Amino acid sequence: MRPGRVQRRPARTAGRASAGLPYITDAELSAALTTAKGTEARAWLGEVSAVILQQSVADLNTAYRRFFDYRKALREWKAAGRKGPQPREVGLPRFKSRKDRRQAVRFTANSRFRVLPGGRLRLPKIGDVEVRWSRDLPSAPSSVTVIRDSAGRYFASFVVRTGPGALPAVEPVVGIDLGLAHFAVLSDGRKIASPRFLRRAEHKLRRAQRSLSRKQDGSRNRDKARVKVARAHARVADARREFHHQLSTALIRDNQAVAVEDLCVKGLARTRLAKSVHDAGWSAFTGMLEYKARLYGREFHRIGRFEPTSQVCSACGVKDGPKPLHIRAWQCQACGMWLDRDINAAVNVARAAGLAVTAPWSAGKTRT
């Protein structure tokens, strides 16, 4: 089971809750699972490794504990007069389905999975599996999760132990202004073009989706067409993720501190720019910056979304007021400096985070 928004609570949990009994323990669930495997109706549970079933039970307990912790925190937040940030919502766990887009099983060390010398992966009750390795494992894995995505591709995700990977300290710091015309504009004047992966693949996606809509429900041809659509979307998602990884790694490697603006992506996704906003993937990119900064010993700053970064002149600090989106360069009425809207915003993002940056026009690099 996994978190999700549903209206129905599983019968076992609902019955214990209505009777005033505590939530069923891990030991009770494990014993019930063992008993079920001995029955004729549940004999198929013995066809897979017992570790997989125990890991599913552990995931079930984790999901319910998170749900109940959220409900408790929500009650306390309301009792305190709704002061402070509202607890992050966690939905009631729901049953997995064989029709879910993502399927996964996890093997721990107790299952005795092995990475063979030839590069194959030996999984209990499955056998030896050919693996196309993306990198060498730095240490012996403690667990492996086998994932099947909607496109029918299989991935093996290993948990390994690694040492601290802090990078040598560097002097540069940078502010980043995210946008649509340019994916990112940096406070040093550089502009990163927006790849627009979804827009470029729209024609192929449209043809694949049209072909799918013409297939009969339940037919094998419809299943084949569905996989084609899923693979087309997977290629777009993979290209976008690779772009985010390469850019975020370069920014973290070359700068000691990085500052971005906390954009309201949900709000922007309700406008006519929704497709372009989702295509950019700002949230995924800033999430990569944050975890890579923590991993490599860099500083990451996220400034408030209401900071007037596009209204303040980075040369003299005077607030010049809001401007329509079609104005990409403007002249400060106080000092007369001509400013590039996006570069000026990136400089102000860095300064709002307390980073000492020099505007490109102050250094004579650009004036527009």
Side-chain angles (χ1 to χ4, degrees), residues 107 113 115 133 135-145 156-164 295:
F107 298 89
F113 75 90
V115 178
W133 295 90
R135 68 190 70 179
D136 295 331
L137 297 178
S139 61
S142 59
S143 70
V144 58
T145 302
S157 176
F158 295 89
V159 175
V160 296
R161 182 179 295 276
T162 60
L295 181 64

Side-chain angles (χ1 to χ4, degrees), residues 64-84:
Y64 266 112
R65 288 196 179 98
R66 288 177 178 173
F67 170 72
F68 290 132
D69 289 344
Y70 159 71
R71 299 297 299 179
K72 179 180 178 181
L74 186 63
R75 288 194 299 269
E76 294 175 349
W77 177 72
K78 291 181 178 179
R82 301 177 184 268
K83 295 181 180 179

Side-chain angles (χ1 to χ4, degrees), residues 85-105:
Q86 182 176 352
R88 184 178 179 182
E89 183 178 0
V90 177
L92 184 68
R94 69 174 181 86
F95 285 104
K96 285 184 177 179
S97 169
R98 65 183 179 85
K99 296 183 180 180
D100 286 344
R101 292 180 298 175
R102 181 182 182 275
Q103 303 282 351
V105 292

Side-chain angles (χ1 to χ4, degrees), residues 167 170-173 190 249-257 298:
L167 294 172
V170 293
E171 291 187 5
V173 295
R190 287 181 291 165
T249 298
L251 291 173
I252 293 298
R253 182 185 62 241
D254 299 339
N255 298 278
Q256 186 64 30
R298 301 300 201 215

Side-chain angles (χ1 to χ4, degrees), residues 1-18:
M1 300 179 73
R2 64 185 186 188
R5 294 185 180 181
V6 295
Q7 299 296 326
R8 181 175 63 85
R9 175 177 295 187
R12 180 185 296 272
T13 305
R16 295 180 70 90
S18 61

Side-chain angles (χ1 to χ4, degrees), residues 1-2 26 29-30 33 37 48-63 65 96 104-113 124 142-146 159:
M1 300 179 73
R2 64 185 186 188
D26 294 6
L29 273 175
S30 180
L33 178 62
K37 290 171 64 176
V48 298
S49 171
V51 173
I52 296 178
L53 304 178
Q54 295 298 336
Q55 291 299 307
S56 296
V57 170
D59 291 343
L60 168 67
N61 280 291
T62 301
R65 288 196 179 98
K96 285 184 177 179
V105 292
R106 185 166 64 252
F107 298 89
T108 62
N110 294 335
S111 66
R112 296 185 177 88
F113 75 90
S142 59
S143 70
V144 58
T145 302
V146 180
V159 175

